[in-house]
Amino acid sequence: NLQVNRLTHGLEGLGFKSGDSLAVISGNCAEFLITYFACAKLGVACVPINLLWGKVEVNYVLGHAAVRGVVVEEAMLPKLHVCLPAQEQIRDVIVIEPPTSSVVSVAESLPDRVRFIGFAALCTVQPESEPEHVVDDRATISVLYTSGTTSAPKGVVGSHLAICMDSLGTALDTRMTGDDRITAMLPLFHTAQLNALCTPAIAAGAAIVILREFNAATLLDLIERERITVMFGLPLMIRALCDAQEAQTRDVSSLRLIVYAMAAMPKQDLLRAMNLLECDF
């Protein structure tokens, strides 16, 4: 929360205000969630960018959402850089990770209108006090864009009230408490991980262990080491988890619940998972 407060003050100092939009181009990391909640405290709409999009889709969404700034992970800078000439409304580029020679070279080639700022540098100099902003409960907290498989991506607007109710409802359904330890491994730019796992965990005071990507063996090691209690995955991931557990048994006794979605779970796969992982589904 202190880090969120620092970023909120930093964004306010850059001129961001309620009703503005801020895009996020990043893999899974703590800074992604810090940005999301800082936007919420300031009344700014957070616009996560799908990392599988190409230049056409990214350009379209940045323009359609009228973003005035972007929080971008250093490795993703090329994806943003090719779009900046067409996005004259963008004024601030905030880079996650310490500046390197590659980042400096990109910064030198940015349009003059764009301010180039380090995420850590922006936050370090800010106060930790709670920002004082009135944000309406039906104000936009996020604009999540669809995949655009049939036409241009569609912006799905989420209000503070909707995300709050969704988060509290999910926390109740999954019986989350402050004792839980959650792992986030699906992309945070998708609502399934962002608002069906992370915001409920924050609402309940649970810990979140963030993974960059899914790997069955790595995840089993993490469950054993970090005593993970709840996870959210696709059925194919759970099948891979079972295969890896059969190949090398880990202590997964901390698991109490696995949530799966977005694909059917054949009965035999579910029974196998219940037997091997010994938790609720």
Side-chain angles (χ1 to χ4, degrees):
N1 188 56
L2 298 180
Q3 293 183 64
V4 170
N5 289 349
R6 291 192 194 102
L7 181 58
T8 306
H9 288 299
L11 292 174
E12 185 180 27
L14 294 176
F16 283 87
K17 60 185 185 303
S18 181
D20 286 340
S21 297
L22 177 68
V24 182
I25 307 177
S26 173
N28 286 7
C29 59
E31 290 85 352
F32 192 115
L33 292 176
I34 291 167
T35 301
Y36 183 55
F37 288 108
C39 286
K41 289 198 178 195
L42 192 54
V44 169
C46 186
V47 184
I49 298 296
N50 188 323
L51 299 183
L52 302 180
W53 284 336
K55 176 183 176 181
V56 172
E57 291 87 357
V58 174
N59 246 330
Y60 172 79
V61 169
L62 292 176
H64 187 261
V67 303
R68 60 149 293 176
V70 183
V71 171
V72 57
E73 195 170 6
E74 180 183 324
M76 311 297 171
L77 267 172
K79 185 181 285 286
L80 171 64
H81 191 250
V82 296
C83 297
L84 282 176
Q87 303 299 328
E88 295 185 357
Q89 81 285 357
I90 291 179
R91 292 291 178 266
D92 298 293
V93 173
I94 303 166
V95 183
I96 299 171
E97 294 178 353
T100 66
S101 57
S102 61
V103 172
V104 172
S105 65
V106 171
E108 291 173 347
S109 61
L110 291 176
D112 291 339
R113 70 176 187 277
V114 177
R115 286 183 292 193
F116 188 82
I117 311 142
F119 188 98
L122 176 63
C123 296
T124 300
V125 298
Q126 303 301 328
E128 296 178 344
S129 57
E130 284 293 338
E132 297 183 1
H133 298 283
V134 176
V135 182
D136 188 79
D137 62 354
R138 295 187 184 274
T140 300
I141 187 174
S142 63
V143 186
L144 300 177
Y145 279 79
T146 61
S147 58
T149 50
T150 55
S151 62
K154 308 295 190 300
V156 180
V157 176
S159 71
H160 283 253
L161 179 62
I163 300 304
C164 181
M165 296 302 293
D166 171 50
S167 301
L168 295 177
T170 301
L172 288 169
D173 286 343
T174 56
R175 307 183 307 283
M176 278 192 197
T177 72
D179 295 327
D180 277 313
R181 297 177 64 79
I182 317 302
T183 179
M185 61 184 180
L186 295 175
L188 288 174
F189 61 71
H190 194 284
T191 192
Q193 202 74 161
L194 183 61
N195 292 322
L197 185 77
C198 288
T199 53
I202 292 292
I208 304 174
V209 181
I210 300 173
L211 286 178
R212 296 287 289 184
E213 58 188 5
F214 170 75
N215 176 280
T218 301
L219 179 57
L220 285 171
D221 291 341
L222 184 79
I223 292 169
E224 183 176 60
R225 183 177 69 251
E226 297 288 346
R227 309 305 295 161
I228 299 298
T229 62
V230 180
M231 58 167 277
F232 182 133
L234 304 175
L236 62 89
M237 293 177 172
I238 296 167
R239 284 197 294 272
L241 211 60
C242 289
D243 292 341
Q245 180 71 346
E246 284 187 331
Q248 180 184 342
T249 303
R250 278 84 158 183
D251 178 5
V252 295
S253 59
S254 60
L255 275 177
R256 68 168 184 82
L257 178 67
I258 295 178
V259 180
Y260 63 91
M262 294 176 279
M265 175 78 90
K267 183 177 179 180
Q268 63 271 23
D269 288 349
L270 181 58
L271 291 174
R272 178 189 180 214
M274 292 171 68
N275 180 57
L276 281 170
L277 302 176
E278 298 183 3
C279 65
D280 291 338
F281 282 80

